[in-house]
Amino acid sequence: WFFDDRWKKIFCDRLPTHRLISSQRHGFHPRDGSPRRDGLAILSKLPIEKIGETLFEDGRTALTATLGRGGAAPVVVACCHLQYGGRETEVATRAYQAAAVAAAAESMAADAGASMAFLVGDFNEIASGTACAMLENRNWTNAVSAAATAALDSGTGGRTAIGSTHLTHEGTALSCDHIFCTDFGGGRYAGCFDAAGSRLDDARRVGVEAYHPEFALLDSDHLPVRADVSFDVAAASPPVDDAWLPPWPQPPDRVK
């Protein structure tokens, strides 16, 4: 869609305030030898100050962009479509690709003095998968996990309503579309705070509430996932002192 002039015109006509940048997958389809028609795109209402592309051996790409915020610290957004499959080599390739995209986003963010970076896309694995776990160990926060944590501890508000986001070509319903963020604060925060006071307000799946197989036949085999982030310091809710929330106080005889 993003590489066809007719579709580009539709996006531009429907979203005149947004800019579209894209990166088409390299190579040819193994079934019929036709050029790859899939790829990545970023639609941004914020001004795009810099664009980067990472090319992998299998022809997949990653797209990275610095978005300006009108005098405030910019943000970096990276999107990816990682290797599919559950074999050991495919899992390892997926983790390698995720690490490369994260490194590209972190480097661009450092150059731009960005306050926050986002890494989004089709990871072809669930949130506990190898690539996702690697990103968390790298101080990237899964937005859905952060929203769920916030909903539990009442520290920053937010809620989560995620479910299956993709129906694979093998007919398996999978939650594999993720939004990761990092605030360069030296650690992970449930509310995704950064030096400018940003926080994650919400993360959820958009569209039908229960995944319906016919969706894949009518529109797309993926459902959108969104995250709402506030950069207003005043919007951040203070921590709540609630004895009914963990960690719960222990009886004296259990305290060591």
Side-chain angles (χ1 to χ4, degrees):
W1 292 3
F2 302 115
F3 317 112
D4 185 293
D5 289 338
R6 294 170 298 175
W7 282 103
K8 287 181 181 178
K9 185 177 186 305
I10 290 176
F11 281 109
C12 291
D13 290 346
R14 293 292 182 91
L15 298 169
T17 60
H18 291 64
R19 181 185 172 190
L20 169 67
I21 59 174
S22 60
S23 174
Q24 188 167 0
R25 184 172 177 176
H26 295 221
F28 301 90
H29 201 288
R31 294 180 182 174
D32 57 14
S34 62
R36 288 283 191 178
R37 292 174 293 176
D38 56 313
L40 305 166
I42 295 175
L43 277 164
S44 175
K45 193 172 184 178
L46 297 174
I48 298 176
E49 299 178 345
K50 187 177 181 180
I51 303 171
E53 183 183 62
T54 303
L55 175 64
F56 299 112
E57 293 183 358
D58 61 359
R60 296 174 188 269
T61 63
L63 192 60
T64 313
T66 299
L67 310 181
R69 291 180 53 226
V75 296
V76 167
V77 174
C79 62
C80 61
H81 182 193
L82 303 184
Q83 169 73 46
Y84 176 82
R87 291 180 295 184
E88 185 176 349
T89 55
E90 294 166 336
V91 172
T93 297
R94 197 157 51 237
Y96 165 78
Q97 291 174 344
V101 181
E106 291 162 1
S107 176
M108 181 175 284
D111 292 342
S115 63
M116 200 169 189
F118 298 86
L119 202 171
V120 307
D122 177 2
F123 283 68
N124 270 317
E125 69 175 31
I126 60 177
S128 60
T130 302
C132 291
M134 178 277 303
L135 288 175
E136 292 195 330
N137 289 334
R138 200 180 174 115
N139 287 334
W140 288 79
T141 299
N142 187 308
V144 172
S145 299
T149 301
L152 288 172
D153 67 17
S154 300
T156 58
R159 64 184 180 85
T160 178
I162 200 71
S164 297
T165 63
H166 173 48
L167 186 66
T168 72
H169 62 279
E170 298 174 341
T172 303
L174 188 66
S175 181
C176 62
D177 298 281
H178 304 293
I179 299 174
F180 281 84
C181 47
T182 186
D183 57 14
F184 308 106
R188 293 172 52 202
Y189 303 90
C192 299
F193 284 96
D194 71 358
S198 70
R199 65 161 184 160
L200 178 68
D201 294 314
D202 188 18
R204 57 192 169 91
R205 183 184 62 180
V206 180
V208 295
E209 292 302 318
Y211 196 94
H212 197 291
E214 290 185 2
F215 181 82
L217 302 176
L218 297 175
D219 292 292
S220 170
D221 59 352
H222 287 264
L223 288 173
V225 178
R226 66 176 287 174
D228 298 329
V229 177
S230 171
F231 290 90
D232 185 357
V233 176
S237 304
V240 176
D241 184 12
D242 190 336
W244 291 100
L245 294 174
W248 293 286
Q250 297 294 318
D253 59 343
R254 294 186 182 181
V255 177
K256 296 182 179 180

